[in-house]
Amino acid sequence: MTHSSLSSPSRFQTYDDPGEAAEGAARIAKLRAELVRRGLAGFIVPRADEHQSEYVPRHAERLAWLTGFTGSAGTMIVLLDKAALVVDGRYTLQAPEQVDTAVITPVPLADTTVEAWIANNLPAATSLGYDPWLHTTNAVKKLEQAAENAGGKLVPVDMNPVDVIWVDRPLPPCAPVRPHPSAYAGETSEDKLARIREKLDKDKVDALIVSDPHNLAWAFNLRGGDVAHTPLPLGYAIILREGRPTVFLAPAKVTNEAGSSLGAEADIAPPDAMPSALDALGAAGAKVRIDAATGAIALSRRIETAGGVADIGPDPISLMKAVKNGAEIAGARAAHLRDGAAVARFLAWLAREGPSGELTEIDAVEALEGFRGETGLLKDVSFPTISGAGPNGAIVHYRVTRKTNRAIHPGELFLIDSGAQYEDGTTDITRTVAIGEATAEMRDRFTRVLKGHIAIARAVFPKNTSGAQIDGFARAALWSVGLDFDHGTGHGVGSYLSVHEGPQRISKIGSTALEPGMILSNEPGYYKAGAYGIRIENLILVERREMSGAEREMMGFETLTLAPIDRSLIDSGLMTIEEIGWLDNYHARVREKLSPLVDAETKVWLDEATRPLGPRA
Amino acid sequence: MTHSSLSSPSRFQTYDDPGEAAEGAARIAKLRAELVRRGLAGFIVPRADEHQSEYVPRHAERLAWLTGFTGSAGTMIVLLDKAALVVDGRYTLQAPEQVDTAVITPVPLADTTVEAWIANNLPAATSLGYDPWLHTTNAVKKLEQAAENAGGKLVPVDMNPVDVIWVDRPLPPCAPVRPHPSAYAGETSEDKLARIREKLDKDKVDALIVSDPHNLAWAFNLRGGDVAHTPLPLGYAIILREGRPTVFLAPAKVTNEAGSSLGAEADIAPPDAMPSALDALGAAGAKVRIDAATGAIALSRRIETAGGVADIGPDPISLMKAVKNGAEIAGARAAHLRDGAAVARFLAWLAREGPSGELTEIDAVEALEGFRGETGLLKDVSFPTISGAGPNGAIVHYRVTRKTNRAIHPGELFLIDSGAQYEDGTTDITRTVAIGEATAEMRDRFTRVLKGHIAIARAVFPKNTSGAQIDGFARAALWSVGLDFDHGTGHGVGSYLSVHEGPQRISKIGSTALEPGMILSNEPGYYKAGAYGIRIENLILVERREMSGAEREMMGFETLTLAPIDRSLIDSGLMTIEEIGWLDNYHARVREKLSPLVDAETKVWLDEATRPLGPRA
């Protein structure tokens, strides 16, 4: 893509400045009037939908509509005389800029949890309302305790009071739901359902409510388009230990193909048929597994009221989905090859155009999406691109807007974290490149991050090793000089599904055992506030590792992502021979795989970018 | 100590062969008659006392009395027609040897959990009894679910039916309780109680039931002698957010000194006064914290029945106790210096006597205890010494008996894991030594274990790092050739308290952040079944680490244990320069610190044993 083509705007991303707070005071006043009408002293407004999704559809963006706050996480508690918006470290600066602070007080989570704020602020002997579709059972237990600590009580509402005052509220999304072809899925829905039923049998539960749309999509081999960047059909399913499952999806969005493929395995019903299905389960005294992470308390209440047993625990589909099968792995390799070629074209373009000092962060986002679009197979970006020049690179979840957009200056580091949705796989890659000359400190830090990245890529470990047990490998080179980074080393990644998938992860809290077939990110970083950010991210696949003399079943990682790592930022004096060997081998593989797929100009750049670092060149 | 002195037997350890199964059938028949009388279809007999202690006093050894099984963990479920003894991997071989398998079926935990066995075996529509003093609230929830899955129900009993048939049951222990001098404790009970109350206030609970005797001992600066190897007073306390605490201890064991020092801070009451104290708390509507790990469900039931709220959670004392203060740290250093000299004398003796091939495992236990005894300050061993020659070294929790005792042969590895209780500190050390010439494989494995040990000893990491995050450091050198060990890398250690202390640990499940002042073990190992075992264990102290240019609050470890590591087992070709540097520095420190404290003969050995390994000698 040439510079001139930048005039074609992104199909999947916007650079709008965050919403504005102008309406906040009036809307909160209306909400309070509604609360008074209902005899409530307050109401909890989380940034959540009925599925606890990462991307919330517009009709469920109640918090943003009420306040102007557009962060991806946050909870407001509106009392009659005050309102607190509790946000985590990512949004402590953004929240006060977006909301009307005369009406809403942003509260950093580090200072006060939602529960502590309620315990300290809810007036005694009053009722605090919540929408039982927007909170899990375990979350409500904590909120109930908090209200009790204040001498008040927590009460569910029948209809969300925000919806009553939100007159021009959008309709729920209704994107078409289509079958996910078996060439990509690699396992029939019939076989998946058999495995799920086996697990229900083992756990002695009679039914599973699938509340996580990712799990719905996986189990029934469906894909939709109800939220941004993840091809989800929003809906539910009930899978019985014995008998046909029922999938609850708005009839308008079930395409004929989906209807006929799905119909072989399941009954299809409209969402408003679900309450009576839950009642029937409860009346039969069924023990029903409800996902602890995504199942709304409305589900467990309904089951229990009808006489059933709500078994709050993990949805077994999550772990099954995390372990990719042969077709999904082949798809991931193909997707990464295609994506790597697009990223290489982008990096070559950046190397040509960057030194002018005229490119902006948005230019880079557009160019990269353009190269991916030219593959002809791009379905969406897998998340809004993080494109941070200089100090913006130090903001871990930075999203460029027209207001924050800045030119990429020579002498700066530029960090770009992006990903694509292809039908055969989901990608996620971060590269940090020097525009012009980097300082010795930047090279030292980059090299330490790279050492951490390589330590994960080269790790071998036995069966049953958790992600937490190898997380330190990614940090040791930074720790040894008193540095660190404040995010996990790796998250799970779906197969044409969410770029953030659990339960697999490499982090302090990664207690799930790593299993062959899991795909994760490997993304250590270093961030110097106000100066620059560094992150090196590849996706990695857990694979069995045969070793002579091994007494254990051993595993390691195959690196899936294919794109050069900036050699000009490496201080090879800090690297061991083994680390240099890994990098040179990786670059040789990148060159070999991508060369046939790129234009001549990119090929010249690629040859130079993947030249061996070591003396064994 | 010379060889002849071996005739003096251990003061603290026995080598009795495990009990016998002869009485099992008759006792279980009597128990069944008692169950029938009560209308019960079965009863659960855990290896547990009322405090979930590691060492169970004799009167609470119901499982051993019933079955002959003497393992430290196990649970029997006695039904009217069958009985299962569920044991973990340590006892799958021992259990069938100890019990009458005509009556009791040993079941490996790896095959079936207690809950699964109940779910699959309890007859429907029957009642399974349990003693509510021997199970925590969370454990009972799982057992209830299991009984429900079988179509039966779990019911608490008022008096343990085993106690009814156990006619010559010992009395509860009644060892004198004495104050723990403030020179060792380092903080007055008054100050500790103020900190505990502050935490109760923060957690908004009205009272804490102290059910863990370690926490009772720590909070009130008391020590007792009711169980083996840990100076515990068995008893309870209730600490109120406001008002004087009450300590429940049998009056006969409260010495005058303890009574007068304790009386300044707390009311002292006999144990049978506790139920009415719980009722009073409940009647006042109090919210009472009950330790999730050690609090019996009998406690929470009593509180709730009386109208209070049982708040099952962590006893805050556990984390406070884990972080040692200046006096405790000074005490630990003094204890390790003294203990190191005794261990050095032992190792020198072993080097002299071992090659004869005539020493046995028991001889080694006696000699080591003898050297420790000669310090004049030994209160007890901190656990029964693990003394394993050749293949016995591969049994991780081996305890030598007169039957298993074997000679230590030249050409074998000898593993000895032992510890001492001194009033100023608790020690725990493992050394593995070659008797004569070791094979290349043994040296390779030993060196890999040592590399893991050094990786932990040299680790630097920021505040909030969990033990799980560094656990992999101890294993990487083994993992790289397909090997591993099946235990945690490190456990917490108390201050003249238990050698196994939580919540701090270095292991896959070590989620507690490491904090300055915590003492842990550093004990990677390698075990070749039927051949040999290797373990290298030092105790380490978490300390703040000042580093120039550091952006984070960094920490590292001070190694407390002082004793040579067998140089003859090291293949220095596998070691990095940094690792050799660590070992040589460690040995120089061992030599410098211990030389003034040992006899001339040991001194000669010590000089040789601590000679530098590296070229920089």
Side-chain angles (χ1 to χ4, degrees):
Chain A
M1 185 189 254
T2 62
H3 201 162
S4 64
S5 71
L6 288 178
S7 55
S8 52
S10 164
R11 282 192 290 154
F12 305 116
Q13 308 189 64
T14 63
Y15 314 101
D16 298 336
D17 291 300
E20 35 185 313
E23 304 279 0
R27 288 172 182 173
I28 292 206
K30 269 191 209 157
L31 176 61
R32 283 183 175 139
E34 177 67 21
L35 298 180
V36 168
R37 206 180 61 75
R38 299 186 185 197
L40 293 173
F43 188 70
I44 306 175
V45 185
R47 200 267 180 181
D49 72 354
E50 294 80 350
H51 307 276
Q52 300 290 323
S53 297
E54 180 177 1
Y55 296 105
V56 171
R58 282 183 62 224
H59 78 290
E61 284 281 20
R62 297 178 181 90
L63 182 62
W65 178 79
L66 263 182
T67 66
F69 173 69
T70 58
S72 67
T75 301
M76 181 165 64
I77 312 106
V78 181
L79 300 183
L80 298 183
D81 60 344
K82 54 187 156 184
L85 172 61
V86 181
V87 295
D88 65 38
R90 289 173 288 173
Y91 300 115
T92 46
L93 296 177
Q94 179 179 324
E97 285 176 14
Q98 292 192 300
V99 307
D100 180 349
T101 53
V103 186
I104 301 161
T105 308
V107 176
L109 187 60
D111 297 350
T112 312
T113 62
V114 170
E115 289 78 14
W117 196 90
I118 292 171
N120 290 322
N121 288 281
L122 180 69
T126 66
S127 295
L128 177 65
Y130 74 98
D131 182 339
W133 283 99
L134 304 183
H135 303 264
T136 65
T137 304
N138 291 336
V140 169
K141 274 190 200 158
K142 286 201 240 169
L143 293 169
E144 276 173 346
Q145 186 64 62
E148 199 178 285
N149 285 347
K153 68 171 194 259
L154 191 78
V155 296
V157 299
D158 270 340
M159 185 177 181
N160 194 309
V162 178
D163 300 355
V164 173
I165 61 165
W166 188 354
V167 285
D168 53 350
R169 186 174 167 229
L171 290 171
C174 195
V177 176
R178 299 206 164 81
H180 187 49
S182 60
Y184 301 132
E187 184 180 11
T188 63
S189 180
E190 186 181 0
D191 289 348
K192 289 178 179 180
L193 287 165
R195 286 203 285 145
I196 296 164
R197 283 195 202 97
E198 212 170 281
K199 180 71 173 124
L200 300 185
D201 198 55
K202 199 175 157 225
D203 288 1
K204 294 185 191 291
V205 300
D206 302 303
L208 165 70
I209 298 180
V210 183
S211 50
D212 182 339
H214 304 81
N215 292 0
L216 177 70
W218 182 87
F220 295 96
N221 287 338
L222 300 174
R223 293 297 185 271
D226 285 341
V227 302
H229 312 312
T230 306
L232 291 184
L234 294 182
Y236 293 90
I238 296 176
I239 299 177
L240 303 171
R241 177 151 61 146
E242 285 169 25
R244 269 169 79 82
T246 305
V247 173
F248 299 93
L249 284 171
K253 63 187 179 189
V254 181
T255 59
N256 288 343
E257 322 142 71
S260 67
S261 81
L262 190 54
E265 301 306 332
D267 295 331
I268 309 172
D272 57 16
M274 192 165 70
S276 60
L278 298 176
D279 291 346
L281 273 177
K287 185 174 168 190
V288 182
R289 170 67 54 82
I290 295 173
D291 185 26
T294 69
I297 191 167
L299 298 167
S300 55
R301 289 268 171 76
R302 189 101 196 183
I303 291 291
E304 283 173 347
T305 303
V309 176
D311 179 46
I312 310 298
D315 177 344
I317 298 174
S318 298
L319 192 56
M320 294 180 189
K321 173 170 102 276
V323 176
K324 273 66 182 174
N325 59 40
E328 290 171 320
I329 291 170
R333 290 195 184 112
H336 278 91
L337 191 58
R338 180 185 317 126
D339 201 57
V343 171
R345 291 181 66 200
F346 166 76
L347 291 171
W349 168 84
L350 184 65
R352 288 195 304 275
E353 306 286 338
S356 73
E358 285 173 23
L359 290 184
T360 67
E361 295 166 339
I362 290 180
D363 291 338
V365 175
E366 298 278 320
L368 179 50
E369 191 186 310
F371 288 117
R372 285 189 164 122
E374 287 178 25
T375 65
L377 295 170
L378 182 67
K379 294 285 187 178
D380 199 336
V381 296
S382 59
F383 59 97
T385 299
I386 297 170
S387 172
N392 285 345
I395 303 169
V396 175
H397 290 92
Y398 177 64
R399 173 177 160 272
V400 55
T401 69
R402 304 217 180 272
K403 210 183 272 178
T404 65
N405 188 28
R406 75 194 286 285
I408 307 170
H409 300 294
E412 287 184 344
L413 295 185
F414 173 60
L415 182 158
I416 185 155
D417 184 352
S418 69
Q421 292 285 11
Y422 304 107
E423 222 176 346
D424 50 1
T426 301
T427 70
D428 185 1
I429 173 173
T430 309
R431 287 297 180 268
T432 305
V433 297
I435 306 297
E437 194 77 19
T439 65
E441 184 193 271
M442 290 171 180
R443 297 176 73 230
D444 176 271
R445 303 304 190 249
F446 184 90
T447 307
R448 291 179 188 282
V449 171
L450 178 60
K451 285 168 75 78
H453 180 93
I454 295 173
I456 296 294
R458 293 184 65 229
V460 289
F461 49 89
K463 197 176 165 172
N464 286 327
T465 297
S466 67
Q469 279 179 294
I470 62 168
D471 178 67
F473 294 179
R475 302 174 192 271
L478 288 165
W479 285 354
S480 71
V481 290
L483 310 176
D484 197 9
F485 56 94
D486 285 332
H487 55 74
T489 297
H491 54 80
V493 176
S495 199
Y496 190 43
L497 273 177
S498 178
V499 77
H500 287 153
E501 183 179 277
Q504 74 275 34
R505 65 202 309 172
I506 302 171
S507 83
K508 182 156 63 171
I509 56 170
S511 59
T512 299
L514 299 175
E515 288 184 49
M518 288 178 169
I519 295 179
L520 300 110
S521 68
N522 170 12
E523 51 178 316
Y526 170 76
Y527 309 92
K528 185 163 178 168
Y532 59 87
I534 294 165
R535 185 157 68 250
I536 304 171
E537 177 186 27
N538 285 341
L539 298 195
I540 53 180
L541 168 72
V542 183
E543 59 172 13
R544 249 177 256 285
R545 197 61 67 82
E546 300 300 331
M547 301 169 66
S548 87
E551 295 176 356
R552 306 294 173 109
E553 197 176 303
M554 301 302 292
M555 301 176 198
F557 297 113
E558 171 189 332
T559 291
L560 295 170
T561 303
L562 296 167
I565 292 168
D566 191 349
R567 296 168 71 264
S568 80
L569 279 169
I570 300 173
D571 177 353
S572 59
L574 288 174
M575 308 258 286
T576 66
I577 288 172
E578 291 78 12
E579 288 164 348
I580 290 173
W582 181 89
L583 186 78
D584 288 350
N585 285 338
Y586 176 68
H587 273 158
R589 189 157 71 93
V590 168
R591 187 172 57 244
E592 182 205 329
K593 297 274 190 190
L594 299 189
S595 287
L597 304 176
V598 297
D599 56 277
E601 203 174 7
T602 299
K603 172 81 173 65
V604 172
W605 172 85
L606 186 63
D607 284 346
E608 172 61 25
T610 57
R611 208 160 39 83
L613 197 71
R616 289 156 299 144
Chain B
M1 185 191 254
T2 62
H3 201 162
S4 64
S5 72
L6 289 179
S7 54
S8 53
S10 164
R11 282 191 288 152
F12 305 114
Q13 307 188 65
T14 65
Y15 315 100
D16 298 336
D17 291 299
E20 35 185 316
E23 305 277 3
R27 288 172 183 172
I28 291 208
K30 268 192 209 157
L31 176 61
R32 284 184 173 136
E34 177 67 19
L35 296 181
V36 168
R37 206 182 62 74
R38 298 187 186 198
L40 293 173
F43 188 70
I44 306 173
V45 185
R47 198 267 181 181
D49 71 354
E50 294 80 349
H51 307 276
Q52 300 291 323
S53 296
E54 179 175 1
Y55 296 106
V56 172
R58 281 184 61 226
H59 78 289
E61 285 279 21
R62 296 177 181 91
L63 182 63
W65 179 80
L66 264 181
T67 66
F69 173 69
T70 59
S72 67
T75 300
M76 181 164 63
I77 312 106
V78 182
L79 300 183
L80 298 183
D81 60 344
K82 54 187 157 185
L85 173 60
V86 181
V87 296
D88 66 40
R90 288 172 290 174
Y91 300 114
T92 47
L93 296 178
Q94 178 179 325
E97 285 176 13
Q98 291 192 301
V99 308
D100 181 348
T101 53
V103 186
I104 300 162
T105 309
V107 176
L109 187 59
D111 297 349
T112 313
T113 62
V114 170
E115 289 79 15
W117 196 90
I118 291 171
N120 290 323
N121 290 280
L122 180 68
T126 66
S127 295
L128 177 66
Y130 74 98
D131 182 339
W133 283 100
L134 304 183
H135 303 264
T136 65
T137 303
N138 291 335
V140 169
K141 274 190 201 158
K142 287 200 240 171
L143 294 169
E144 277 173 347
Q145 185 64 59
E148 199 178 284
N149 286 345
K153 66 171 197 250
L154 191 78
V155 296
V157 299
D158 270 343
M159 187 177 178
N160 195 309
V162 179
D163 299 356
V164 173
I165 62 166
W166 189 354
V167 287
D168 53 350
R169 183 172 169 232
L171 289 172
C174 195
V177 177
R178 298 204 166 82
H180 187 48
S182 60
Y184 302 132
E187 184 179 10
T188 63
S189 179
E190 185 183 0
D191 289 346
K192 290 179 179 179
L193 287 165
R195 285 204 285 146
I196 296 164
R197 281 194 204 100
E198 213 169 280
K199 178 73 174 126
L200 300 185
D201 199 53
K202 199 174 157 226
D203 288 359
K204 296 187 190 290
V205 301
D206 302 305
L208 165 71
I209 298 180
V210 183
S211 50
D212 182 340
H214 304 82
N215 291 1
L216 177 72
W218 181 87
F220 295 95
N221 287 339
L222 300 174
R223 294 296 186 270
D226 285 340
V227 301
H229 311 312
T230 306
L232 291 185
L234 293 183
Y236 293 90
I238 296 176
I239 300 178
L240 303 171
R241 176 151 62 146
E242 283 169 28
R244 269 168 80 83
T246 306
V247 173
F248 299 92
L249 285 170
K253 63 186 180 191
V254 181
T255 60
N256 288 344
E257 320 141 74
S260 67
S261 80
L262 191 52
E265 302 306 331
D267 294 333
I268 309 172
D272 56 17
M274 192 165 69
S276 60
L278 297 177
D279 292 346
L281 273 178
K287 184 173 169 190
V288 182
R289 170 67 53 86
I290 295 173
D291 186 24
T294 69
I297 192 168
L299 296 169
S300 54
R301 288 269 169 77
R302 190 103 198 181
I303 291 292
E304 283 172 347
T305 303
V309 176
D311 178 46
I312 310 297
D315 178 344
I317 297 173
S318 298
L319 192 56
M320 294 180 190
K321 173 170 106 270
V323 176
K324 274 65 181 172
N325 60 40
E328 290 171 319
I329 291 170
R333 290 196 184 111
H336 278 92
L337 190 60
R338 179 186 317 125
D339 201 58
V343 171
R345 291 181 65 198
F346 165 77
L347 291 171
W349 167 84
L350 184 66
R352 290 194 304 274
E353 306 285 338
S356 74
E358 286 173 23
L359 289 185
T360 67
E361 294 165 340
I362 290 180
D363 291 339
V365 175
E366 298 277 320
L368 179 51
E369 190 185 310
F371 289 118
R372 284 190 165 122
E374 286 177 26
T375 65
L377 295 171
L378 182 68
K379 294 285 185 177
D380 199 335
V381 296
S382 58
F383 59 97
T385 298
I386 297 170
S387 171
N392 286 344
I395 303 168
V396 175
H397 291 92
Y398 178 65
R399 174 177 159 271
V400 54
T401 70
R402 301 214 182 276
K403 211 181 272 179
T404 66
N405 189 28
R406 74 194 287 286
I408 307 171
H409 300 294
E412 287 184 344
L413 295 186
F414 174 60
L415 182 157
I416 186 156
D417 184 353
S418 70
Q421 292 284 10
Y422 304 107
E423 222 175 345
D424 50 1
T426 301
T427 70
D428 185 1
I429 172 173
T430 309
R431 286 296 180 269
T432 305
V433 298
I435 306 296
E437 194 76 20
T439 66
E441 183 193 272
M442 290 171 179
R443 296 176 74 230
D444 175 89
R445 303 304 190 249
F446 184 90
T447 307
R448 291 180 188 281
V449 172
L450 178 60
K451 284 168 76 79
H453 181 93
I454 294 173
I456 296 292
R458 294 183 65 229
V460 290
F461 49 88
K463 193 174 166 175
N464 286 327
T465 298
S466 68
Q469 280 179 293
I470 63 169
D471 178 67
F473 294 180
R475 302 176 191 268
L478 289 163
W479 285 354
S480 71
V481 291
L483 310 175
D484 198 11
F485 55 94
D486 286 331
H487 56 73
T489 298
H491 54 79
V493 176
S495 197
Y496 190 42
L497 273 176
S498 177
V499 78
H500 287 155
E501 183 179 276
Q504 73 276 34
R505 66 201 309 172
I506 301 171
S507 83
K508 182 156 60 171
I509 55 171
S511 59
T512 299
L514 300 174
E515 288 183 49
M518 287 178 168
I519 294 178
L520 300 111
S521 68
N522 170 11
E523 51 176 316
Y526 170 77
Y527 308 93
K528 185 165 182 168
Y532 58 87
I534 294 166
R535 189 160 61 250
I536 304 172
E537 177 186 27
N538 285 341
L539 298 194
I540 53 181
L541 168 71
V542 184
E543 60 172 13
R544 249 176 258 283
R545 196 61 66 82
E546 300 300 331
M547 301 169 66
S548 88
E551 296 176 358
R552 306 293 174 111
E553 198 175 304
M554 302 301 293
M555 303 179 197
F557 297 115
E558 172 188 331
T559 291
L560 295 169
T561 303
L562 296 166
I565 292 168
D566 191 348
R567 295 169 71 265
S568 81
L569 279 168
I570 299 173
D571 176 351
S572 59
L574 289 175
M575 307 258 286
T576 65
I577 289 172
E578 291 78 13
E579 288 165 349
I580 291 174
W582 181 89
L583 187 79
D584 287 351
N585 284 339
Y586 176 68
H587 273 158
R589 188 157 72 93
V590 168
R591 186 171 61 243
E592 182 205 328
K593 297 276 189 188
L594 299 189
S595 287
L597 305 176
V598 296
D599 57 278
E601 204 174 8
T602 299
K603 173 80 174 67
V604 171
W605 172 84
L606 185 64
D607 284 345
E608 173 61 23
T610 57
R611 207 159 41 80
L613 197 70
R616 287 156 299 145

